[in-house]
Amino acid sequence: MCRWLAYSGTPLLLDTILYRPTHSLIDQSLHSRLGVETTNGDGFGVGWYSEENIDTPALLKDVGPAWNNRNLREIADHVRSPLFFAHIRASTGTAVQQTNCHPFRHGRWMWMHNGAIADFHLMRRDLSLLVDPGLYSDIEGTTDSEMMFYLAITFGLDEDPPGAVARMVGAVERSGHDHGVEFPVQMTIAVTDGERLWAFRYSSQGTSRSLFYSTRVDTLRELHPDLAFLREVSDETRLIVSEPLGDLPGAWNEVPESSYGVVHAGADELHRFVPEPA
């Protein structure tokens, strides 16, 4: 399927996270350890907010693999951001085209997904009809991931992100069961409004794709006082990743099954995730 990372914290050059770690996302595009596929070469995308403008994230997407993209390498050395997403794609059947690359953007919102709606072709029409008619023309691609995004917007992402995602999943599972699909949803999702970051791990079968979050920076400083990087970032800095970016002891924690987390100023949160009837 795919691999992704979400960063929030002290503004950093994208290169610091995308390229420098031992098992960086660029390395994972060729050598994923925990993904369904070892290679994730069906396109990539990076989305970021600048310190001057958190109203609309910038996007860079391409249908080629991340490991040899010169434009990505170029911007990574020059773009600094306090909050950014990066995604490498392994298509589950939809076309390899730029509009199908993650992250997806609508207004201030940014969204990316790893997983799939099982037998999405059976449900596509039913799910499309649930999208707010005023939003439908904004859908550019053909992926189940983008459909999930616009369903979440329809179901109240602006007011209640966890509730909107829960209602989206409830709608997909209901449609799937109507079409005889036993386990309709497989997902890890990241979504942000430029200030807060939510990450979800859930599957209808209860065997979700991998997802990890980084340990608090102040705790890591105590464990690894000689690491210069930890002295350069704030206590608010956090990473959420499909698989760990390295083997630093104590650095990574698995997100529990059927749960979601919130990264924001102050103490981060971890909650149980339960789909709701839409």
Side-chain angles (χ1 to χ4, degrees), residues 132-233:
D132 185 325
L135 296 170
Y136 187 78
S137 62
D138 293 333
I139 298 176
E140 296 185 324
T142 60
T143 64
D144 50 356
S145 304
E146 190 177 16
M147 183 69 72
M148 295 165 81
F149 181 30
Y150 278 87
L151 286 169
I153 298 171
T154 298
F155 295 146
L157 189 65
D158 280 327
E159 296 79 26
D160 175 17
V165 175
R167 289 185 285 276
M168 176 273 291
V169 174
V172 173
E173 289 190 323
R174 182 184 63 193
S175 178
H177 295 153
D178 288 346
H179 287 276
V181 180
E182 185 177 8
F183 302 118
V185 175
Q186 172 68 249
M187 71 180 210
T188 64
I189 286 172
V191 60
T192 181
D193 60 0
E195 296 181 356
R196 295 168 295 172
L197 163 63
W198 293 263
F200 300 81
R201 184 181 186 219
Y202 175 80
S203 64
S204 304
Q205 195 172 7
T207 54
S208 302
R209 300 292 179 244
S210 59
L211 193 64
F212 297 83
Y213 64 93
S214 60
T215 299
R216 286 177 54 91
V217 170
D218 54 354
T219 301
L220 286 174
R221 287 196 197 101
E222 294 178 4
L223 292 173
H224 306 283
D226 297 331
L227 281 183
F229 172 77
L230 296 175
R231 297 194 295 271
E232 297 169 0
V233 296

Side-chain angles (χ1 to χ4, degrees), residues 60-265:
L60 171 70
K61 301 183 182 186
D62 202 295
V63 297
W67 63 76
N68 65 355
N69 189 277
R70 295 179 66 181
N71 289 332
L72 179 61
R73 176 70 271 183
E74 183 72 16
I75 71 158
D77 286 330
H78 294 84
V79 170
R80 188 180 301 272
S81 173
L83 200 165
F84 60 87
F85 283 3
H87 186 282
I88 50 176
R89 185 170 184 242
S91 173
T92 56
T94 49
V96 178
Q97 60 192 45
Q98 195 172 94
T99 53
N100 284 345
C101 293
H102 310 223
F104 301 101
R105 174 183 65 192
H106 187 271
R108 73 180 191 275
W109 291 97
M110 191 160 57
W111 171 285
M112 60 185 174
H113 166 234
N114 173 38
I117 296 177
D119 290 318
F120 177 54
H121 64 285
L122 298 177
M123 300 176 237
R124 185 196 299 270
R125 183 177 183 277
D126 291 349
L127 296 177
S128 296
L129 292 173
L130 295 177
V131 174
D132 185 325
L135 296 170
Y136 187 78
S137 62
D138 293 333
I139 298 176
E140 296 185 324
T142 60
T143 64
D144 50 356
S145 304
E146 190 177 16
M147 183 69 72
M148 295 165 81
F149 181 30
Y150 278 87
L151 286 169
I153 298 171
T154 298
F155 295 146
L157 189 65
D158 280 327
E159 296 79 26
D160 175 17
V165 175
R167 289 185 285 276
M168 176 273 291
V169 174
V172 173
E173 289 190 323
R174 182 184 63 193
S175 178
H177 295 153
D178 288 346
H179 287 276
V181 180
E182 185 177 8
F183 302 118
V185 175
Q186 172 68 249
M187 71 180 210
T188 64
I189 286 172
V191 60
T192 181
D193 60 0
E195 296 181 356
R196 295 168 295 172
L197 163 63
W198 293 263
F200 300 81
R201 184 181 186 219
Y202 175 80
S203 64
S204 304
Q205 195 172 7
T207 54
S208 302
R209 300 292 179 244
S210 59
L211 193 64
F212 297 83
Y213 64 93
S214 60
T215 299
R216 286 177 54 91
V217 170
D218 54 354
T219 301
L220 286 174
R221 287 196 197 101
E222 294 178 4
L223 292 173
H224 306 283
D226 297 331
L227 281 183
F229 172 77
L230 296 175
R231 297 194 295 271
E232 297 169 0
V233 296
S234 71
D235 290 351
E236 301 287 347
T237 297
R238 183 78 79 178
L239 271 161
I240 303 174
V241 297
S242 292
E243 55 188 81
L245 304 185
D247 301 318
L248 186 68
W252 302 104
N253 313 274
E254 186 174 14
V255 175
E257 183 69 51
S258 300
S259 64
Y260 74 92
V262 189
V263 177
H264 57 158

